[in-house]
Amino acid sequence: MKIFVLVKEVPDTYGDRRLNLETGLVDRNASEPVLDEITERALEVALEYADANPGTQVVALSMAPESATPSVRRALAIGAESAVQIVHDDLAGADLGLTAEVLAAAIRRGGADLVITGNVSTDGSGGVIPSMIAEHLGFAQLTALSAVEIGSGSVSGTRASDFGAQPVSAQLPAVISITEAFPEARFPNFKGIMAAKKKPLEVLSLADLGVQADPSAAPRTIMTSVSEKPPRAAGVKITDEGDAGAQLAEFLVQNRLV
Amino acid sequence: MSYPENAILVLVDVTPTGEAASSTAALIGAAAQIGTPVALVVAPAGIAQAAVDAAASAGAVSVLTAEADASALTVPVVDALEAAYNAVQPDAVLVSNSIAGRDVAGRFAARTRAALAVDAVGLSRDEEGVVAHHSVFGGAYRVNSAATYGAPVITVRQGAVDARAEAQPLNVETLAVSPSGMPAALAGEVAIVEKASSRPELRGATRVVSGGRGLGSKEQFVLVEQLADTLSAAVGASRAAVDAGFVPQSHQVGQTGVSVSPQLYVALGISGAIQHRAGMQTSKMIVAINKDPDAPIFDVADFGIVGDVFKVVPQAIEALEARKK
């Protein structure tokens, strides 16, 4: 079994996340870059299967600039056997369509039985990449899983659908995305960190994948403007002296909120 | 059948029982702001009538219907959307930013190579076409996006669009769909979460009352529900309250839970970690009650009360209930 896990470097939500107001791109220096926790959880799902099924290959896959290599290495330190990083200047500011095309091409090139992703990233929070990749690859997709059972030729689980829990299953190959209901990834130990330095990390360019970033190749989504929202100003703040509840009721009535 | 030149194709999310999802009116309302709404309802045979009616009364000038096997996940809906797109030739495709909607939008955009924009909180039109408005990084930035060419596929955040369209006479057409044959996951029956009460759904609610760790226990979290019922509000929670087991995860508001932007958001015993604020700070009016005067939630509150929720809230409920009489 060969499992590709999508891993993504994102700005730490505990820090000050910024967009560059000139380019509209994420300011990668504004806050500490971290591996998105949900993608670490996705990796853990693959590693648990690999622990129980020797011979499983777990490949961490990321489309990210060279500066993100330490985050990709972290996926190796946690336990991925190898990693693929797609690096290309033309991919700066890539939209969802181009991103999905590139990731799918890399998975096709490597040959996967199963692709595991987080359901939604913490930065873009798009949540569409899993189904886009599935469409490109011609795989079935099982998204928003809160539980999963991986078999040798099939995958099944519980989908946290819009209206309630839903049992789902598919023959492999398939793409699955997992929710936060899954446990956090194991912490990379010293041995893992040392081993990660020797594990294969393949760097691919667009040419290796035969993907065109050319704006005329397909319609793209572009940012037409970006502005900073003025920070929300704090309003009235009172300390309860026994009548705050009544004051709150009055405030809600005056603002026509009841 | 001919369709308006400025048609906006709207995919209606359908519940397992065949009703239009609560996102429908806002999706069609948003479509009416940028063109003429044409709705698509995809549902298993014979159960879609309620959703079709809802789409017309929400403002769709025509409603296309297609039957789809509920046991195949996503793919039959994408196939129907593709057929509808080819028939209608719309200026844009709007889909709810729900779990089901995102899956359909992703597959459809990948299949047709359309430009995809996600989680729009508003839509407009300029001389070059449809523009999607986004609220990024927990509402810290406003970003507009557009397609370089072609009709964009846009997912719209639930509860973010207030615009509503005028009801239209029912004008239904059955769509012929040729299956793509794309492998689909097998989907079982949805275990519909029985609502404990008549409280509104958190996503899309116009009023939300949320509780945090400050409520102390599952038993005491009832206070949040009591105020919610007084205000006809939905019940939300911080991650801390969810992790402590006070409420199920489906109530979690924030970065990793539901993003809400109601008219009124009341935070009880919530400190206001940045992950929580990311999911609620686009609310129109924020009220916070917390014992800690330095709680970060007060930085975004329009009305903050430093005090004990167990004293302040019962008093407020009493005052509000007295007014109702």
Side-chain angles (χ1 to χ4, degrees), chain A residues 244-246 248-249 252, chain B residues 227 230 289 311-321:
Chain A
L248 171 57
L252 295 176
Chain B
L227 181 59
T230 299
I289 307 174
K311 293 197 178 120
V312 177
V313 174
Q315 190 183 68
I317 292 174
E318 198 184 325
L320 291 167
E321 292 294 348

Side-chain angles (χ1 to χ4, degrees), chain A residues 132-209:
Chain A
M132 297 183 89
I133 289 175
E135 180 73 23
H136 279 303
L137 294 171
F139 291 6
Q141 109 276 345
L142 286 65
T143 52
L145 298 185
S146 58
V148 71
E149 186 72 41
I150 303 169
S152 57
S154 65
V155 59
S156 60
T158 306
R159 181 170 186 250
S161 85
D162 296 299
F163 305 104
Q166 182 181 35
V168 287
S169 61
Q171 298 299 307
L172 298 181
V175 176
I176 66 171
S177 78
I178 57 113
T179 69
E180 261 202 331
F182 280 88
E184 280 178 34
R186 59 197 70 181
F187 203 74
N189 56 21
F190 181 71
K191 199 172 142 221
I193 294 166
M194 293 311 287
K197 292 182 178 166
K198 292 185 185 141
K199 286 180 176 173
L201 193 164
E202 189 180 17
V203 177
L204 299 177
S205 74
L206 282 178
D208 296 323
L209 297 172

